[in-house]
Amino acid sequence: MTRAADLVWAREEDEEWADTVHVRLVLDHDAPAGLADEVLAEAHQIVREAGLPAPEVLGEPEAYARTVAAERISEEDRAKVDSHGLTPGERVRALLGTIGFLGFCLCVMHWFEDGLWVRGSWASVAGCATVVAVVSLGALAFVARAAGRIRGMWGFFAGAACVFVGGVAVATNAPGERLFEVPVPVLMAGCAAWTVAAYAFPDAVLDRWFAPRPHADDDEQWLARLEGLLRGRHTMPAAEARGHVREARQHLFGADHERAEDTFGDVEVYAMRLAEGPRKQQRIARHKLYRAAAAAVVFTVLAVDETLETGHFSGWVACYVGAAGGWIWTSIAEWRDLRKRGRADKAARREVQGPTGADKAG
């Protein structure tokens, strides 16, 4: 299949049109792998045969992307991804790749700030291993949540807490004398190899790690999976999710013992249908705001702590300040988006309910 990047468009406006379609399909509609390339290859053929600009032949890129998504992205494909358009496997790959990339950046910073050699001790090794393990387990907890595995999420959080306590104890009591010296470029090469390996690992294998066992004829497992998907993948409040599960259970009780899957269909698709709507978009925007605000606080604390410890403005402080500023800006943008979605939701409700007494009086 021809990749979108390999297509040669006759006009610059056609290339911009294709780029917009590609971005909208991936970001707005969570297109499965390869679909955007396939769609743009077909569009390229149509535009070349027509001899006219792409917007004249196929319409505006946003509208074209919406049409393609409605016609060619199935509910099964849309139901497999979380609010960020990622499957569990893609989330894990992004997590591992991010850890490798951050390690590479930290090595570069160490090179500029402290020299070519990294000197380690048992205490420093234990401390670094603890940080990596806690961050990894914490991130895997959110992956499990997005996969609808609520118990798995708490298991990863519990593991992260145990590792943190044990790691702090080991790092505090381990000897602090120098154990080894390693050139920074060696560590940078290791981090780069880690990142490449993370993104080369097959998604399907990682997806299976977070997939539940087949529930066969067990309706309770189907219902438990439904609750986990609503709460985790679709960020629905626990009380609301349990309400949907209770309604489904009552329906099954009075349906002459029909199987849940026969009655409601695939559990992932059914959960997606229940969760769709403006309120889901508001929940997603709210969670993004919380994450951005938390990250801004963390980097602000790190910047203040580093400044107090060193007593001067260093490269590390500059990195922390830059990261904190970026997350603060993201928090403001997410807050504005949340307010915008809230106003749009209220307007939609007013249109459905009709004018209120205050509106009529006005």
Side-chain angles (χ1 to χ4, degrees):
M1 181 190 301
T2 304
R3 295 192 308 162
D6 298 331
L7 296 173
V8 179
W9 297 85
R11 306 170 186 83
E12 184 177 350
E13 63 175 318
D14 292 347
E15 188 172 352
E16 293 176 355
W17 180 92
D19 291 340
T20 303
V21 170
H22 190 281
V23 170
R24 293 303 103 199
L25 283 174
V26 173
L27 295 184
D28 293 347
H29 305 289
D30 305 326
L35 178 61
D37 292 331
E38 179 182 344
V39 167
L40 289 178
E42 296 171 0
H44 182 268
Q45 180 70 21
I46 294 172
V47 170
R48 186 176 61 180
E49 292 176 355
L52 297 171
E56 293 185 19
V57 179
L58 299 173
E60 293 300 316
E62 294 82 2
Y64 187 73
R66 286 195 298 270
T67 302
V68 168
E71 294 177 352
R72 302 176 66 167
I73 301 179
S74 66
E75 283 190 317
E76 288 75 12
D77 287 326
R78 292 194 292 120
K80 291 178 181 178
V81 299
D82 57 26
S83 57
H84 296 278
L86 301 174
T87 65
E90 291 170 339
R91 268 184 172 260
V92 174
R93 287 202 314 168
L95 158 67
L96 297 177
T98 301
I99 290 176
F101 176 74
L102 290 177
F104 186 91
C105 294
L106 290 174
C107 289
V108 173
M109 284 298 303
H110 185 281
W111 195 347
F112 281 105
E113 286 286 317
D114 303 314
L116 178 62
W117 293 89
V118 175
R119 297 167 180 83
S121 63
W122 284 115
S124 63
V125 169
C128 291
T130 299
V131 170
V132 172
V134 169
V135 170
S136 300
L137 289 171
L140 287 173
F142 289 104
V143 175
R145 183 179 185 275
R149 309 298 299 272
I150 303 299
R151 290 183 179 178
M153 176 191 72
W154 291 117
F156 279 119
F157 276 138
C162 293
V163 169
F164 177 77
V165 173
V168 170
V170 172
T172 302
N173 296 291
E177 60 267 14
R178 184 182 303 175
L179 181 65
F180 60 84
E181 291 186 354
V182 180
V184 172
V186 173
L187 296 179
M188 292 171 61
C191 292
W194 173 284
T195 304
V196 172
Y199 284 105
F201 203 85
D203 290 340
V205 175
L206 297 171
D207 285 334
R208 286 197 294 270
W209 292 357
F210 290 90
R213 291 176 295 178
H215 47 73
D217 295 329
D218 192 339
D219 287 346
E220 286 303 321
Q221 290 187 19
W222 191 97
L223 292 170
R225 175 69 173 153
L226 174 63
E227 181 180 345
L229 288 169
L230 290 174
R231 293 175 57 187
R233 182 169 297 174
H234 300 291
T235 66
M236 186 177 289
E240 186 177 351
R242 288 171 185 146
H244 285 299
V245 172
R246 186 165 52 251
E247 291 176 3
R249 181 180 285 108
Q250 291 172 352
H251 181 86
L252 291 173
F253 182 76
D256 298 327
H257 304 292
E258 291 184 9
R259 293 173 61 241
E261 193 156 2
D262 293 336
T263 303
F264 300 108
D266 182 79
V267 64
E268 292 186 333
V269 173
Y270 185 69
M272 181 190 68
R273 291 172 179 170
L274 289 175
E276 282 184 329
R279 292 184 62 192
K280 178 181 178 180
Q281 300 304 319
Q282 281 187 288
R283 291 194 299 268
I284 292 173
R286 190 177 297 111
H287 279 264
K288 288 181 178 179
L289 172 61
Y290 294 159
R291 284 194 294 267
V297 171
V298 168
F299 281 107
T300 300
V301 171
L302 288 173
V304 173
D305 180 70
E306 183 70 18
T307 302
L308 294 176
E309 183 177 346
T310 59
H312 65 278
F313 191 85
S314 64
W316 291 107
V317 176
C319 289
Y320 293 146
V321 170
W327 282 112
I328 290 172
W329 180 262
T330 302
S331 299
I332 295 173
E334 296 295 351
W335 175 70
R336 289 175 177 172
D337 183 55
L338 180 60
R339 291 189 61 189
K340 180 180 178 181
R341 291 182 184 278
R343 288 195 296 267
D345 184 40
K346 289 180 180 178
R349 289 182 183 180
R350 283 197 294 268
E351 289 182 4
V352 173
Q353 297 173 356
T356 62
D359 293 334
K360 293 178 180 178

